[in-house]
């Protein structure tokens, strides 16, 4: 079972989704739903009500739900809201509280080169923890995900895939771990070159089900899998350049256009338009795992540096290697204990309309063109459990996942921006719309420097609004932040705007993926920042009086 042995300090991982479900059941965190319900809208409505229950209480987020009687899918089960509370998010990572993960990361980052024998002995536990993070390859016979292997006559629609909201474009796979590999840069196309296989990536991207063999692949342009796709396009275009001059133009356009998938309709730099169809026949291999252990699922959403594989992150979170196995029809590895594996490819020449989709912003994401995933093989466990999530108006399950990401990666943010004290990504800001930051202010203009630094950090580049306050402001207290902001700013002086990348889901930006951002400096203003007026002190009772009232408080009956 996944837990923290406080006496030994040992993290014990859940081996698979089924151990995790059993642990939730034992802890009173799971509700089994035996009433017949449809995967079309009804599971979403039940889950939405559950996830919004208990707001402001210890039971906020509702229970994890296991639907055991799915209309039209006899014998199938749907597992949802597994990460949907503070307690379950900590349980999923095998800790009492999520901040313990951040403390482990902080300890690793504080490591220094051992200078003597005793220092080396002290460093052994941390080195051992890192060594346990590397994935372990197992044989097909030892992989539960291969209990059933279907290379023909398979149908994705046999699984109880959810249609979440009334105007969704169809059923969507909502909690997939999508496995890709960076294509070789010097090879003739996707795959490996003389330098060996590229870095593996696990991402989480929604997948609209078109039919029993194909889905959409919602690779937003700033995501790693989208970059793998573009690299594959460049390689294939370059390989065809000698035989087909148009392909050389495609390669040049792919490098210069900034487009995620299609070559722009208009000419670029004087080059004429070349249609994507010139590259038909080029494929990029993809695998999808559904229902892995909770740490592996969680690793697919963390904004880790691109050099670090998600299997390493999952191994670190688990304190134990992730067991992986080779796919049947593609050259990729997947979690051996997953419930369902989809293998296949994306045709570089093929795009298809995807959406609409009811998204975590609380609005529908409109239709757009995305790559198409073709399934070549489905493997799964006997009686597989279909793991899903739903997104919509917050708070929902993803709010707790986002809060865990916030706490776990705060130490890494501090490495780059050491003046940061704390951050808060309010659920209502849907992660990329609002960040509250407290800093230790040491020089004039520092709040603006921090804003710029945050906008340069990976997925933090999408943050639409950043509010910076002084270190004595608790950014987890929205009321306190509101008080500081409304009292501490002169709007014309303290609000700055800039232009840059915007999340693909933002429907208000002036252009898709590009728009403005706002930073608010709500710190105390200094004379060196051009503020010559006196700055008043905030109200606070003196310590002597507070101490005296503390001593008699229980007698007051208040």
């Amino acid at each position: 079972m996944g837990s923290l042995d406080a006496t030994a300090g040992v993290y014990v991982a859940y081996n698979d989704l089924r151990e995790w479900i059993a642990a939730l059941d034992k802890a009173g965190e799971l509700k089994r739903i035996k009433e017949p319900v449809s995967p079309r809208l009804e599971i979403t409505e039940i889950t939405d009500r559950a996830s919004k229950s208990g707001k402001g209480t210890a039971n906020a987020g509702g229970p994890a739900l296991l639907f055991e009687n799915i209309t039209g899918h006899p014998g199938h089960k749907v597992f949802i809201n597994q990460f949907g509370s503070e307690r379950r998010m900590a349980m999923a990572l095998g800790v009492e509280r999520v901040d313990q993960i951040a403390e482990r990361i902080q300890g690793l980052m504080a490591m220094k080169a051992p200078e003597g024998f005793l220092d080396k002995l002290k460093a052994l536990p941390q080195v051992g923890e890192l060594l346990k993070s590397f994935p372990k390859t197992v044989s097909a016979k030892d992989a539960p995900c291969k209990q059933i292997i279907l290379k023909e006559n398979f149908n994705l629609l046999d699984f109880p895939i959810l249609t979440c909201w009334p105007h969704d474009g169809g059923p969507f796979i909502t909690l997939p771990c999508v496995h890709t590999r960076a294509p070789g840069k010097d090879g003739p196309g996707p795959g490996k070159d003389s330098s060996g296989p590229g870095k593996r990536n696990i991402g989480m991207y929604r997948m609209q089900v078109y039919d029993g063999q194909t889905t959409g692949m919602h690779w937003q342009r700033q995501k790693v899998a989208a970059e793998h796709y573009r690299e594959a396009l460049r390689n294939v275009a370059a390989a065809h350049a000698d035989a087909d001059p148009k392909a050389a133009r495609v390669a040049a356009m792919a490098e210069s256009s900034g487009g995620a998938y299609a070559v722009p309709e208009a000419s670029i730099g004087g080059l004429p338009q070349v249609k994507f169809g010139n590259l038909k026949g080029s494929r990029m291999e993809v695998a999808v795992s559904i229902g892995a252990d909770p740490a592996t699922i969680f690793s697919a959403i963390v904004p880790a540096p691109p050099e670090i594989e998600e299997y390493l992150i999952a191994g670190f979170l688990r304190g134990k290697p992730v067991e992986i196995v080779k796919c049947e029809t593609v050259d990729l590895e997947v979690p051996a204990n997953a419930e369902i594996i989809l293998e296949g490819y994306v045709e570089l020449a093929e795009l298809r309309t995807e959406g609409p989709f009811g998204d975590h912003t609380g609005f529908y994401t409109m239709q757009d063109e995305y790559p198409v995933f073709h399934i070549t093989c489905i493997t799964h466990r006997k009686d597989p459990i279909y793991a899903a999530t739903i997104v919509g108006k917050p708070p929902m399950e993803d709010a707790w996942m986002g809060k865990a990401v916030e706490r776990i990666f705060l130490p890494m943010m501090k490495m780059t921006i050491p003046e940061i004290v704390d951050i808060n990504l309010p659920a209502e800001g849907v992660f990329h719309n609002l960040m509250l930051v407290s800093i230790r202010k040491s020089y004039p203009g520092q709040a603006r420097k921090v804003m710029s630094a945050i906008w340069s950090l990976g997925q933090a580049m999408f943050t639409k609004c950043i509010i910076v306050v002084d270190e004595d402001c608790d950014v987890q207290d929205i009321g306190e932040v509101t008080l500081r902001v409304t009292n501490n700013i002169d709007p014309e002086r303290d609000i700055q705007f800039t232009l840059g990348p915007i999340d693909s889901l933002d429907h208000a930006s002036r252009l898709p993926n590009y728009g403005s951002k706002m930073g608010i400096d709500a710190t105390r203003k200094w004379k060196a920042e051009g503020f010559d007026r006196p700055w008043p002190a905030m109200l606070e009772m003196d310590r002597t009086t507070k101490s005296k009232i503390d001593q008699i408080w229980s007698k007051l009956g208040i």
Side-chain angles (χ1 to χ4, degrees), residues 114-137:
E115 296 179 359
F117 181 70
L118 286 178
D119 282 347
K120 290 179 181 178
L121 284 178
K122 291 177 183 177
L124 282 177
Q126 290 171 308
V127 173
E129 186 173 10
L130 288 176
L131 291 175
K132 287 189 293 186
S133 300
F134 289 90
K136 174 185 176 183
T137 302

Side-chain angles (χ1 to χ4, degrees), residues 188-199:
K192 296 181 283 186
D193 58 29
S194 58
S195 64
K199 175 194 168 289

Side-chain angles (χ1 to χ4, degrees), residues 132-135 176-182 198-205 223-225 228 289 293-318 320-324 333 335 409 459:
K132 287 189 293 186
S133 300
F134 289 90
C177 293
V178 179
H179 303 257
T180 59
R181 191 190 295 277
K199 175 194 168 289
R200 293 176 295 211
N201 181 72
I202 308 175
M204 189 169 289
Y205 320 101
K223 305 295 185 179
V224 175
H228 288 177
S289 59
D293 66 275
T296 300
I297 295 173
F298 181 72
S299 73
I301 73 162
V302 298
E307 298 79 18
I308 301 177
E309 287 193 349
E310 284 73 18
Y311 282 131
L312 290 174
I313 297 170
F316 174 79
L317 293 174
R318 288 160 49 90
K320 179 180 179 180
V322 177
E323 292 188 346
I324 59 176
E333 298 82 23
F409 284 88
Q459 298 299 308

Side-chain angles (χ1 to χ4, degrees), residues 101-179:
I101 301 288
E103 290 162 9
R104 288 169 61 200
I105 293 172
Q106 217 157 6
L108 287 173
M109 292 190 303
M111 280 183 68
K112 298 178 181 179
E115 296 179 359
F117 181 70
L118 286 178
D119 282 347
K120 290 179 181 178
L121 284 178
K122 291 177 183 177
L124 282 177
Q126 290 171 308
V127 173
E129 186 173 10
L130 288 176
L131 291 175
K132 287 189 293 186
S133 300
F134 289 90
K136 174 185 176 183
T137 302
V138 300
S139 66
K141 67 180 178 62
D142 294 322
C145 71
K146 292 183 183 287
Q147 289 172 347
I148 306 293
I149 299 175
L150 302 172
K151 294 185 180 179
E152 55 186 22
N153 299 323
F154 51 77
N155 187 349
L156 194 54
L157 298 174
D158 288 340
F159 299 104
I161 299 169
L162 307 186
T163 300
C164 299
W165 298 102
H167 300 298
D168 280 0
F172 280 83
I173 301 173
T174 53
L175 200 66
C177 293
V178 179
H179 303 257

Side-chain angles (χ1 to χ4, degrees), residues 242-264:
D242 292 338
D244 183 358
K246 287 185 178 180
R249 297 190 188 103
V250 173
M253 286 180 171
E255 290 291 347
S256 63
S257 71
Y261 305 111
V263 175

Side-chain angles (χ1 to χ4, degrees), residues 355-523:
F357 176 72
D359 229 315
H360 70 263
T361 58
F363 296 86
Y364 284 97
T365 302
M366 292 289 88
Q367 292 181 329
D368 206 345
E369 299 293 298
Y370 280 92
V372 180
F373 175 55
H374 294 263
I375 300 171
T376 56
C377 177
I378 296 179
T379 74
H380 61 79
R381 299 177 69 144
K382 294 175 182 176
D383 302 319
I385 299 170
Y386 180 74
T389 189
I390 60 164
V391 292
K393 293 180 183 177
M396 300 190 87
E397 180 176 11
D398 59 338
W400 303 101
M401 299 167 78
K403 184 57 68 172
V405 169
E406 171 199 297
R407 305 325 299 165
I408 289 171
F409 284 88
L410 178 59
M412 283 189 256
M413 285 189 71
K414 288 182 176 181
M415 279 192 72
T416 306
I417 317 171
E419 57 265 63
I420 286 181
V421 175
D422 197 8
I423 64 170
N424 182 13
L425 301 171
E428 293 75 13
V430 292
F431 316 125
H432 50 76
N433 283 343
L434 177 64
M435 182 184 293
L436 311 179
V437 188
S438 57
I439 66 168
R440 294 184 184 89
K441 187 171 176 179
S442 305
Y443 51 83
Q446 192 168 7
R448 294 174 187 259
K449 173 261 186 185
V450 168
M451 297 171 197
S452 298
I454 290 170
W455 282 321
S456 73
L457 287 177
Q459 298 299 308
M461 66 178 166
F462 298 132
T463 310
K464 190 188 289 191
C465 303
I466 298 175
I467 297 175
V468 183
V469 294
D470 289 297
E471 64 181 299
D472 61 348
C473 178
D474 179 6
V475 291
Q476 306 302 326
D477 184 339
I478 302 296
E480 176 71 9
V481 173
T482 303
L483 181 72
R484 299 294 184 107
V485 173
T486 53
N487 279 282
N488 281 6
I489 68 166
D490 176 276
E492 184 181 31
R493 180 195 65 206
D494 295 327
I495 298 177
Q496 73 172 54
F497 298 96
T498 188
L499 292 171
I502 291 292
D503 191 273
S504 297
L505 306 182
D506 192 307
H507 61 267
S509 59
R510 63 195 66 197
L511 293 169
N513 303 290
Y514 182 75
S516 63
K517 308 163 192 290
M518 177 177 70
I520 300 177
D521 177 2
T523 61

